[in-house]
């Protein structure tokens, strides 16, 4: 149900609390999310260090945040599907597979961003 009227500090505080609760649930219950957070802890500072200029820095770190966001959405889809239909159903399996594919697509984007930006610099260093 949509909130009506003014959204003051109390509503904003509640939204922040619910978001933190969701992040804790993702960390507690999803191994993939924990792995991706650990990856982000490495990728984020490295991307800020290796990127030349704001756009390169953004292109190196943004995909990781998108991966984390979509991983949480994928986990939410899986939780709802498991709650509604604990037994296997083709549509339930399809929903889970498509959520997983969305995460994969963003991981490919992240790899492509790093390959296009950092790859040529690494190649120059390795050549001597």
């Amino acid at each position: 149900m949509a909130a009506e009227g003014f959204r003051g500090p109390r509503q904003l505080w509640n939204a922040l609390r619910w978001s933190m609760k969701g992040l804790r649930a993702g960390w507690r219950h999803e191994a993939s999310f924990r792995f991706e957070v650990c990856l982000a802890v490495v990728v984020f500072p490295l991307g800020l260090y290796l990127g030349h200029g704001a756009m390169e820095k953004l292109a190196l770190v943004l995909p990781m945040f998108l991966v984390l966001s979509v991983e949480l959405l994928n986990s939410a889809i899986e939780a709802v599907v498991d709650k509604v239909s604990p037994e296997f159903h083709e549509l339930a399996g399809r929903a889970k597979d498509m959520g997983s594919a969305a995460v994969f697509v963003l991981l490919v984007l992240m790899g492509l961003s790093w390959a296009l930006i950092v790859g040529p610099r690494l190649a120059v260093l390795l050549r001597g």
Side-chain angles (χ1 to χ4, degrees):
M1 171 181 280
E4 295 181 18
F6 177 70
R7 290 190 55 92
R10 170 176 250 145
Q11 289 84 6
L12 294 175
W13 176 253
N14 285 338
L16 176 64
R17 283 184 31 236
W18 295 323
S19 295
M20 294 301 108
K21 186 176 178 182
L23 287 171
R24 279 192 303 274
W27 180 264
R28 185 176 301 125
H29 301 288
E30 297 298 327
S32 295
F33 183 71
R34 287 191 298 273
F35 172 76
E36 290 156 358
V37 167
C38 292
L39 183 63
V41 166
V42 173
V43 167
F44 182 74
L46 201 55
L48 293 179
Y49 177 74
L50 294 175
H52 294 168
M55 293 308 291
E56 279 191 7
K57 291 176 191 297
L58 187 62
L60 291 173
V61 301
L62 180 63
M64 189 71 245
F65 285 98
L66 294 174
V67 167
L68 292 171
S69 298
V70 172
E71 183 65 53
L72 289 169
L73 290 172
N74 179 43
S75 297
I77 290 168
E78 289 179 352
V80 169
V81 166
D82 289 345
K83 169 72 174 157
V84 171
S85 178
E87 67 276 349
F88 178 79
H89 188 279
E90 180 184 344
L91 293 176
R94 189 182 315 163
K96 288 180 168 189
D97 291 346
M98 292 169 78
S100 180
V103 174
F104 175 75
V105 166
L106 286 172
L107 286 168
V108 169
L109 171 66
M110 188 173 79
L112 183 62
S113 295
W114 278 80
L116 291 174
I117 294 171
V118 179
R121 294 180 198 147
L122 188 59
V124 167
L125 286 174
L126 292 176
R127 274 189 229 137

